[in-house]
Amino acid sequence: LEQLLTERPKAQEVSGAGFTAIPGLSDLHAHLGLVSEFEMSLGSMRYFDSQRQKNCEAALVAGCTFVRDSGGAHRIVSWLKEEIEAGRLVGPRVAPSYEVLTPRGGMWDVGSVGNAMAPMVFGGKVINFVNSDQEIRETLARLDRLGCECFKTYFEEMPLYGGKPDTRYNMYTVEQARMIRELANRYGKTLEAHSMFTKGSRVVAEAGFDSIAHMTVDAPYDRELCQTMARRGTAIVPTLSVGCYLAMDCGDRGSPSHPDYQFFREQLERVVPEQIEAATIPELRKTYESFRHWILERQPERKMPMVGDVYPERVHGFAVHAAESFRNPRVAEVSKALRRTTRAAMDPPGRDA
């Protein structure tokens, strides 16, 4: 903090007399070790470690004193964590997941060549492609020995970026989800699922996972799923980047006249440039800015690279239709239940952040 105060002189000093000091924020889904993968030249990749350190500083400057890192190479994230704890790097407390789990033939299995190249971009192994119960047990045991504090899994049945509408991924079974929950309990880990379609969300909610990242893209959560989440204590961590929202085809909600679209476009035009300036190192700033301009130029098409027509007529980023919740008492009741369970489940146990 002393280093930050030196590098960022106070514009003004405000008396706190009569006010209440609140704890720092907890970011329950972050990737401190990941850097923009939209431009992967060797000229850019040599600066990735510098940007990773900048990610830690940016998190603390934004008010986050605790971060759950939801997937990153052990070599990278453990080093960032150690440097922060030793006082040599400015950043928040970090609860790492390290490597994530997904089935072979599941999300992020991009073939032998792509899978082999991924560690070069991410600074080490990030994904475990494991299918059998024995492989899952061995992988979680190894992650526990590495010192992870959370387990991160993927329960996705369809592509999020790229692929054809009828593509279906391999996904862990209900029985395997329950086994993963039992193993997380045994090792004392919190358990997160990347599950942006309702089929996977039902599986992990019934198994009692602690949280689901990013909400859903295919349909709002229905009453039954919401009640299961409330009963099992499964929280929503509704993270979604401005760029990804604007690049996706959201059906009617994606029309230029829709308030959601206008809000996010304004964020991209007015707020994001300041964030890029504050949170990136100069050598990579052009890459982030180029992607921002690319989205603004391509917005009428609403397509990420290679996305095709995966998102026809889908609502993205809303577990419950906001407008409907105001009109329909049953949906409003579901929304209230989700808020209650999310507040409870998102409290990091034992953390005084």
Side-chain angles (χ1 to χ4, degrees):
L1 290 176
E2 293 297 326
Q3 180 183 341
L4 272 181
L5 290 173
T6 301
E7 294 177 354
R8 301 169 182 267
K10 298 185 293 292
Q12 64 180 112
E13 190 168 314
V14 179
S15 172
F19 292 87
T20 301
I22 64 172
L25 301 173
S26 294
D27 186 345
L28 295 188
H29 186 99
H31 296 280
L32 296 174
L34 300 192
V35 181
S36 171
E37 302 103 54
F38 298 106
E39 201 268 289
M40 292 185 289
S41 69
L42 292 177
S44 292
M45 289 174 65
R46 61 180 172 172
Y47 295 112
F48 277 16
D49 279 343
S50 296
Q51 182 59 52
R52 288 165 179 139
Q53 295 175 63
K54 185 69 173 181
N55 292 346
C56 297
E57 177 189 322
L60 190 62
V61 169
C64 293
T65 56
F66 171 81
V67 164
R68 180 173 68 178
D69 191 274
S70 296
H74 171 258
R75 181 182 71 84
I76 296 294
V77 180
S78 62
W79 177 76
L80 294 173
K81 185 174 186 292
E82 291 169 5
E83 292 298 293
I84 291 170
E85 292 174 351
R88 294 187 292 266
L89 177 64
V90 174
R93 300 181 185 182
V94 181
S97 300
Y98 299 137
E99 304 155 16
V100 305
L101 277 71
T102 193
R104 286 184 293 277
M107 186 174 180
W108 299 128
D109 186 352
V110 294
S112 57
V113 175
N115 294 344
M117 291 179 62
M120 293 189 295
V121 178
F122 298 119
K125 184 177 182 179
V126 175
I127 303 174
N128 294 282
F129 299 104
V130 292
N131 285 48
S132 71
D133 292 359
Q134 184 61 28
E135 288 176 317
I136 293 172
R137 290 191 183 95
E138 291 174 354
T139 300
L140 294 182
R142 182 176 60 81
L143 290 173
D144 177 61
R145 292 194 295 271
L146 287 176
C148 78
E149 297 184 43
C150 322
F151 290 146
K152 167 73 177 295
T153 60
Y154 278 82
F155 281 77
E156 301 293 4
E157 63 165 331
M158 290 183 280
L160 288 165
Y161 311 108
K164 299 178 180 179
D166 59 352
T167 299
R168 292 296 179 271
Y169 288 146
N170 289 339
M171 195 170 74
Y172 293 125
T173 65
V174 174
E175 292 74 22
Q176 287 178 318
R178 291 172 180 155
M179 181 188 71
I180 293 171
R181 173 71 273 179
E182 291 171 2
L183 290 169
N185 291 342
R186 182 185 306 172
Y187 291 119
K189 313 295 184 186
T190 57
L191 185 55
E192 179 182 21
H194 191 291
S195 177
M196 294 178 68
F197 295 92
T198 51
K199 180 179 179 180
S201 297
R202 291 183 194 284
V203 173
V204 300
E206 188 57 48
F209 280 39
D210 294 299
S211 63
I212 299 175
H214 309 306
M215 292 190 169
T216 51
V217 299
D218 56 339
Y221 294 162
D222 60 23
R223 182 178 179 82
E224 180 183 359
L225 176 54
C226 293
Q227 289 176 332
T228 300
M229 293 175 68
R231 173 170 52 85
R232 300 289 285 160
T234 301
I236 300 170
V237 182
T239 53
L240 179 67
S241 73
V242 172
C244 286
Y245 179 94
L246 289 172
M248 290 176 182
D249 181 356
C250 305
D252 293 341
R253 297 183 81 97
S255 66
S257 61
H258 195 281
D260 289 349
Y261 182 94
Q262 293 175 353
F263 170 79
F264 277 97
R265 184 178 177 92
E266 181 180 354
Q267 296 293 302
L268 195 64
E269 291 176 335
R270 296 180 54 192
V271 179
V272 172
E274 298 176 5
Q275 294 178 336
I276 291 175
E277 180 73 22
T280 60
I281 61 172
E283 292 80 1
L284 294 180
R285 202 160 289 153
K286 184 178 178 180
T287 298
Y288 286 87
E289 268 294 326
S290 296
F291 183 58
R292 185 180 76 87
H293 287 295
W294 179 86
I295 294 174
L296 288 171
E297 293 169 2
R298 296 288 299 275
Q299 266 189 319
E301 300 174 40
R302 305 302 298 283
K303 304 295 182 186
M304 291 278 277
M306 299 173 61
V307 163
D309 55 352
V310 173
Y311 286 96
E313 303 306 317
R314 289 180 180 158
V315 177
H316 191 284
F318 295 90
V320 179
H321 288 295
E324 192 178 12
S325 69
F326 287 110
R327 295 194 300 268
N328 187 331
R330 287 184 60 193
V331 178
E333 183 181 318
V334 167
S335 301
K336 192 181 299 182
L338 282 175
R339 284 195 296 272
R340 281 201 303 270
T341 186
T342 295
R343 279 199 299 270
M346 286 175 66
D347 182 24
R351 298 284 175 176
D352 59 350

